[in-house]
Amino acid sequence: MKQSFLRYLLAAVASLAAILIPVSARGAAGQLYASDDGRNLVLEFTFDGTRTTFATANDPRGLAFDGSGNLFEADRGTGTIFKIAPDGTNTPFASGLNFPEGLAFDGSGNLFEADFGSNTIFKFAPDGTKTTFATGLDGPRGLAFDAVGNLFVGENTGISKIDPAGVKTTFASGFGVAVALAFDPSGNLFAADMNGNAIVKITPDGTKTPFATLGRPVSLAFDTSGNLFVGDLDTGMIHIFSPAGIKSTLATTSTAITGLAFAPTPHQLLNISTRGFVGTGDAVLIGGFIVTGNGMVNSKALIRAAGPSMASQGVPGTLQDPFLRLFDSHGAVITSNDNWKDAQQVAIQATGLAPTDDRESAILASLPAGAYTAIITGASNTTGIARVDVFNVQ
């Protein structure tokens, strides 16, 4: 068995897939953080709108999280960017700035700051090294990166686009102060027009359309479901807009919410699939995957072995009774399953990913970081085409 398993594991490397969990000790993954400028606080909101104080500040403005769950806050009152660890430890990251406003991280972990007082964009490497990225702007405030690394800057009357080489062009104009920017999951840019009392949607080609009318919107952030959160300077409210534009209210603070940011959430690879022929002996179907990270919470995964259900999709010669085993990196069997309703039926159904045929197999497992191998064989030495799926259901 040991030699056979090693062959299985080597074969799994060729089809290796990953469930990625970021390196972060933050327990409040996905929760909203807000700059409360009126009370000089950084607030934390649970999903039901319950508010707690996370840190104190002095005229707090833009917020941005790095990939490790540290929150960076632009402290306009002191001209300092503070780094706030997940446990609330607050340390200066950069000082001597001239009215810092917006903050944004690029894909390499560099922090960009809109320096309102000097009309400059500064770039800070992860070690804090400061360089000038762009000059000659007109009251820069909001910052946002698109998927290919272009930086968009909200200014007094418009929005500039600056490519990674620092070349600046005008992207959109006609604003009464584009104070905050955020991209939705489809690549559309949303801008808070503070003096225009509006949220404006801008498609990648620069087409502007009205999205919502508010008092004075000054901060924006999207959650992972595509809902837009907006801080309103006039009312002290945090509003939520669904992707369809339906408005609701998360919280009322009675003061100015000048910055919004969501804590990092686990990256979710929702569907890993490998299809192939299952024979006898070593001719098995293998799905290798890795759970990475050093978080305190294990990753919950659903591993599924499909066979009979693929016949309705036009796949000939399907395996009629797949048998699923899950191995750890040492070759030990963690668990196995033949027919998915034999065990964990209620929990598997709750994921919404249960097999559609009772003869198929499924395992719901809570897994620490490590390498794993799912192997499908045919019950009673049956053969045929099968598919192994791995879902992150964290």
Side-chain angles (χ1 to χ4, degrees):
M1 172 62 193
K2 187 68 174 179
Q3 289 183 349
S4 295
F5 177 76
L6 289 175
R7 286 196 294 271
Y8 296 161
L9 194 58
L10 287 171
V13 172
S15 60
L16 196 61
I19 295 176
L20 299 176
I21 307 300
V23 179
S24 173
R26 178 171 297 277
Q31 289 187 180
L32 181 67
Y33 290 74
S35 296
D36 185 339
D37 184 58
R39 287 181 291 199
N40 289 320
L41 299 172
V42 177
L43 304 175
E44 176 183 7
F45 290 88
T46 60
F47 302 109
D48 64 0
T50 302
R51 181 185 72 204
T52 56
T53 297
F54 182 62
T56 58
N58 186 341
D59 196 0
R61 297 303 174 106
L63 300 175
F65 278 96
D66 68 9
S68 298
N70 300 297
L71 178 61
F72 289 71
E73 176 252 328
D75 211 57
R76 180 166 168 150
T78 61
T80 303
I81 298 172
F82 286 97
K83 176 182 178 180
I84 311 173
D87 64 1
T89 302
N90 194 332
T91 56
F93 177 74
S95 59
L97 302 171
N98 193 346
F99 293 153
E101 287 275 350
L103 299 177
F105 279 95
D106 68 8
S108 299
N110 301 298
L111 178 64
F112 289 71
E113 176 252 340
D115 207 56
F116 180 84
S118 66
N119 290 316
T120 302
I121 304 296
F122 290 113
K123 174 182 176 180
F124 295 89
D127 64 0
T129 301
K130 175 184 173 185
T131 56
T132 298
F133 181 70
T135 59
L137 293 114
D138 182 18
R141 297 175 187 258
L143 299 180
F145 278 96
D146 67 10
V148 295
N150 297 302
L151 178 63
F152 290 74
V153 184
E155 303 176 68
N156 283 335
T157 59
I159 299 171
S160 294
K161 175 182 175 181
I162 308 176
D163 69 16
V167 177
K168 183 180 73 172
T169 56
T170 299
F171 180 68
S173 57
F175 290 87
V177 181
V179 68
L181 305 177
F183 279 97
D184 73 4
S186 299
N188 300 299
L189 181 63
F190 285 68
D193 188 348
M194 180 175 67
N195 292 346
N197 312 110
I199 305 294
V200 178
K201 176 182 177 181
I202 311 168
T203 60
D205 65 3
T207 302
K208 289 171 56 180
T209 55
F211 181 75
T213 300
L214 288 174
R216 281 202 295 167
V218 291
S219 52
L220 303 176
F222 278 97
D223 68 10
T224 56
S225 298
N227 299 298
L228 177 62
F229 288 67
V230 182
D232 192 325
L233 187 65
D234 280 354
T235 64
M237 292 182 176
I238 299 176
H239 300 292
I240 308 172
F241 290 88
S242 72
I246 299 172
K247 177 185 171 186
S248 58
T249 299
L250 175 72
T252 300
T253 67
S254 300
T255 56
I257 297 298
T258 50
L260 292 172
F262 281 95
T265 56
H267 302 290
Q268 301 223 356
L269 189 54
L270 296 180
N271 190 353
I272 305 167
S273 294
T274 300
R275 193 178 84 177
F277 179 78
V278 175
T280 58
D282 287 351
V284 298
L285 180 61
I286 301 167
F289 62 98
I290 295 173
V291 176
T292 66
N294 62 356
M296 298 291 290
V297 180
N298 293 339
S299 178
K300 186 177 290 185
L302 178 70
I303 303 96
R304 203 170 63 181
S309 64
M310 292 194 296
S312 63
Q313 301 166 6
V315 178
T318 58
L319 182 65
Q320 293 303 296
D321 192 1
F323 185 84
L324 176 64
R325 288 178 293 169
L326 179 64
F327 293 82
D328 66 15
S329 60
H330 303 293
V333 178
I334 298 172
T335 188
S336 62
N337 176 255
D338 184 7
N339 302 316
W340 73 273
K341 287 187 176 180
D342 292 345
Q344 300 182 289
Q345 178 179 349
V346 173
I348 290 172
Q349 286 176 325
T351 68
L353 299 167
T356 57
D357 191 292
D358 292 352
R359 295 168 291 175
E360 296 183 333
S361 308
I363 294 169
L364 185 63
S366 186
L367 303 173
Y372 300 89
T373 305
I375 295 179
I376 299 178
T377 56
S380 302
N381 287 322
T382 51
T383 62
I385 301 296
R387 188 185 71 235
V388 57
D389 305 321
V390 181
F391 298 87
N392 187 337
V393 293
Q394 187 72 19

